[in-house]
Amino acid sequence: MAPVLRSLLSHGAVRFGAGVLAVLLMIAALSPWLGTVDPAAMDSAHINTGAGSVGEFALLDGRTVAHTFWMGADNFGRDIYSRVLYGTRISLLVGVCTALVALSVGGVLGMLAGYFRAMDAVLMRVMDGLMAIPAILLAIALVAALGAQVWTVVVAIAIPEIPRVTRLVRSLVLTLREEPFVEAAKALATPTPVILMRHILPNAMAPLIVQGTFIAASAVLTEAILSFLGLGLPADIPTWGNIMAEGRVQFTQYPGNVLFPALFLVPTVLAINLLGDGLRDVLDPKFAKRGGA
Amino acid sequence: MLRFLMQRLLALVPVLFTVAVIVFLILRLTPGDPAAVIAGNNATNEDIDRIREQLGLTKPVITQFMIWLGHVMQGDLGYSFYLNRPVTELIAQRIEPTMSLAAGTMVLAVLIAVPLGTIAAWRMGGWLDHLLSGFAVAGFSVPVFVIGYVLIYIFAVELQWLPVQGYRRLFGASSQGVGPWAMQLVLPWCSLATIYVALIARVTRASVSEALTEDYIRTARAKGLTERMVLLRHALANAAVPIVTVVGIGVALLIGGVVVTETVYAIPGLGSLTVDAVLNRDFPVIQGVVLFFSVLYVLINLLVDLSYLWLDPRIRY
């Protein structure tokens, strides 16, 4: 483990990606103490206040606090800086949860398809069908059907990602099941679930981690897209996509409402993608050599 | 050739059938009674019963599916609950803007990405190569609506070179010709092309650089061909199959991007039809659009498969 960790730490993309993510995690955890106010509080005295202005903010309970509007306020008088900082929480949560859901469901299905011939044909035809539906469109349709809450958004974004994970795990299992150590385990009458969990899964971990990172990046993007279209989480929850969706109407006068959340969204996705590229280089050199499709 | 085509068409049947099952099941995923959901909050019990009858929800699920599939096979995608019009008619009305946006983006992206990727592979490690690999990572990290708004801000608000939003028809009575149509679409095309260029250019670079290591390239250079001929006739021609493949796969990305781009630029196409349908919980329209785009995507990739025969004479089916 130690040499892997060392080569990870010396990889530029991994260091940059992990560094940016660490900062974002701190922002998400510490957002109440970073000079923010309640992200839902509306102060009618500050409707469309410009970025950088200093003033008093009237809180919901009637108290007023001195406050700097780093990114201005929106057309309801809500502080954009506070909303963007709190929005970090939703983006990171959706990114991580989606990756975990897609990896675990796709992982189980892929192992079943790769190990049990009988299930292979049916499962893979279902996956072919899922892959024929453009991902964002499928996510939109699923959100429409399930309603918009955090868990339904996670499920809606994860389902279109499952076929790719299933295919990856299936192909790994198909090669791994021919390995001598699996044959040895079979000869010792090891139960099939134990073979799958103890012998095959650990050897499939590296490509799965890499794949999971890329899924997290695209999940953050997709969540922002769904919210931006007005189909994601309810508008009262501050997410980057929701802030941009609300800023859309008066974009030409107040472009900041759309552009400030983007200043957080783009580096977040970039950092996760770079982390994924780096992890792939270090953990899964064969995949990197194939060009990583 | 004909046998190959028949085989490929037959192979599409299970895929399209699964798509149909998934699209059908989407409405059934809705928690609670779909009829009550569709009827909305102000509906009376009679309204709900009428909708239930209309949808055939009183019959067993398998029967419902077979009836629905039978209608779909005959080109009947049902009626919009909200707009009270046939879904096929709604889709037909919205096709022109969406196709203008998507086809234009595809042409633009290929025209930029293929030369870019080829030159990057030719001068590997050069400044263009580095620029391209940076652009490829960035292209996948910047969502299309952010690019769209930045472009609107620079070219429509600050410089005022191009219109902010909207769409002008190319065909029909209200058409003002190609000029206004194209002017309206310049910014949407550029916004949507970014991610597509990143995707195609990256694959072009990998594919061309692999072809450039082959013996026939050395032979072509040795017999005194110009670098241009070496690149175009030998390297690019042999790298064509992966490039065409990624153009086909990228259509899925393009379709997702169309939905977002139409919202940013207020283009009345299939994307905005979808968004409105979701906001109104207009399930027949959602199902119709998802089916339409999926079939389109599958058919485009069938064309990609067929093009291999022409692009690579070694491939014989």
Side-chain angles (χ1 to χ4, degrees), chain A residues 126 129-133 137 140-142 144-145 221 225 228-231 244 248 251-252 255 262 265-266 269-270 273, chain B residues 18-19 22 26 29-31 137 140-143 145 149 153 157 260 263-264 275 278-279 281 283 290 293-294 297-298:
Chain A
V126 174
L130 271 178
M131 283 182 89
I133 306 176
L137 218 54
I140 289 175
L142 287 169
L221 266 187
I225 287 174
F228 172 79
L229 294 174
L231 313 177
M244 293 188 210
R248 219 161 72 192
F251 174 74
T252 45
L265 174 62
V266 174
V269 181
L270 189 68
N273 271 330
Chain B
T18 322
V19 170
I22 295 166
I26 284 173
L29 280 175
T30 315
V137 182
F140 283 104
S141 306
V142 187
F145 57 90
Y149 276 112
Y153 186 69
V157 178
V260 182
T263 306
V264 172
V275 175
V278 173
L279 293 174
R281 308 199 62 118
F283 282 97
V290 172
F293 274 130
S294 305
Y297 177 50
V298 168

Side-chain angles (χ1 to χ4, degrees), chain B:
Chain B
M1 173 68 195
L2 198 67
R3 220 183 99 218
F4 166 69
L5 184 64
M6 290 309 293
Q7 273 174 356
R8 293 308 317 236
L9 282 173
L10 273 179
L12 291 186
V13 173
V15 174
L16 291 176
F17 181 77
T18 322
V19 170
V21 173
I22 295 166
V23 169
F24 174 78
L25 286 178
I26 284 173
L27 175 58
R28 298 298 180 278
L29 280 175
T30 315
D33 181 359
V37 171
I38 288 156
N41 294 331
N42 306 323
T44 60
N45 281 335
E46 289 83 64
D47 287 340
I48 296 174
D49 285 340
R50 187 173 46 81
I51 288 171
R52 190 176 293 127
E53 200 62 42
Q54 224 177 356
L55 289 173
L57 290 175
T58 43
K59 301 187 183 80
V61 177
I62 302 284
T63 320
Q64 289 177 35
F65 175 69
M66 296 317 283
I67 294 172
W68 178 77
L69 191 63
H71 287 302
V72 170
M73 302 274 271
Q74 295 167 33
D76 173 11
L77 293 171
Y79 261 74
S80 156
F81 297 141
Y82 188 72
L83 300 163
N84 251 318
R85 306 267 286 282
V87 174
T88 39
E89 187 191 313
L90 291 171
I91 291 179
Q93 282 171 355
R94 306 282 193 124
I95 274 187
E96 189 208 296
T98 299
M99 287 303 147
S100 305
L101 175 60
T105 303
M106 194 187 247
V107 172
L108 182 71
V110 170
L111 286 181
I112 295 173
V114 172
L116 201 65
T118 309
I119 297 171
W122 181 52
R123 288 274 177 264
M124 202 179 277
W127 64 269
L128 191 73
D129 192 22
H130 286 296
L131 194 74
L132 179 65
S133 46
F135 177 76
V137 182
F140 283 104
S141 306
V142 187
V144 57
F145 57 90
V146 172
I147 301 169
Y149 276 112
V150 171
L151 290 182
I152 291 181
Y153 186 69
I154 298 173
F155 294 102
V157 178
E158 288 293 315
L159 297 171
Q160 305 198 338
W161 287 353
L162 292 160
V164 178
Q165 284 173 326
Y167 179 76
R168 284 172 204 279
R169 290 203 163 256
L170 182 58
F171 301 107
S174 58
S175 171
Q176 294 168 304
V178 178
W181 169 80
M183 281 294 272
Q184 285 278 331
L185 280 169
V186 171
L187 290 182
W189 281 334
C190 294
S191 316
L192 189 51
T194 310
I195 185 167
Y196 212 33
V197 168
L199 183 74
I200 300 172
R202 204 173 59 169
V203 172
T204 305
R205 177 190 175 275
S207 181
V208 171
S209 68
E210 202 180 303
L212 279 173
T213 62
E214 298 284 344
D215 287 341
Y216 53 74
I217 297 291
R218 198 179 47 198
T219 311
R221 282 185 176 140
K223 73 180 181 187
L225 286 187
T226 58
E227 277 300 293
R228 219 177 70 138
M229 285 298 275
V230 171
L231 277 179
L232 289 179
R233 290 287 291 278
H234 294 269
L236 196 56
N238 280 288
V241 166
I243 298 173
V244 174
T245 307
V246 81
V247 170
I249 293 171
V251 168
L253 222 82
L254 198 63
I255 291 170
V258 159
V259 179
V260 182
T261 312
E262 286 183 6
T263 306
V264 172
Y265 289 98
I267 297 172
L270 291 170
S272 43
L273 180 69
T274 316
V275 175
D276 290 344
V278 173
L279 293 174
N280 297 318
R281 308 199 62 118
D282 196 347
F283 282 97
V285 176
I286 302 175
Q287 290 177 318
V289 176
V290 172
L291 261 182
F292 173 81
F293 274 130
S294 305
V295 171
L296 188 72
Y297 177 50
V298 168
L299 289 182
I300 288 175
N301 279 289
L302 176 69
L303 283 182
V304 166
D305 274 6
L306 292 177
S307 76
Y308 295 164
L309 289 171
W310 174 65
L311 288 172
D312 190 346
R314 283 170 303 186
I315 298 178
R316 283 277 164 267
Y317 293 102

Side-chain angles (χ1 to χ4, degrees), chain A residues 7 58 72 89 104 162 170 183 188 195 199 232:
Chain A
S7 51
R89 294 178 170 188
S104 36
I162 288 173
R170 175 179 172 272
E183 269 176 48
L188 291 169
I195 294 184
H199 299 278

Side-chain angles (χ1 to χ4, degrees), chain A residues 208-229:
Chain A
L208 271 179
I209 292 172
V210 173
Q211 186 77 12
T213 321
F214 291 126
I215 292 176
S218 89
V220 173
L221 266 187
T222 311
E223 187 278 319
I225 287 174
L226 288 177
S227 296
F228 172 79
L229 294 174

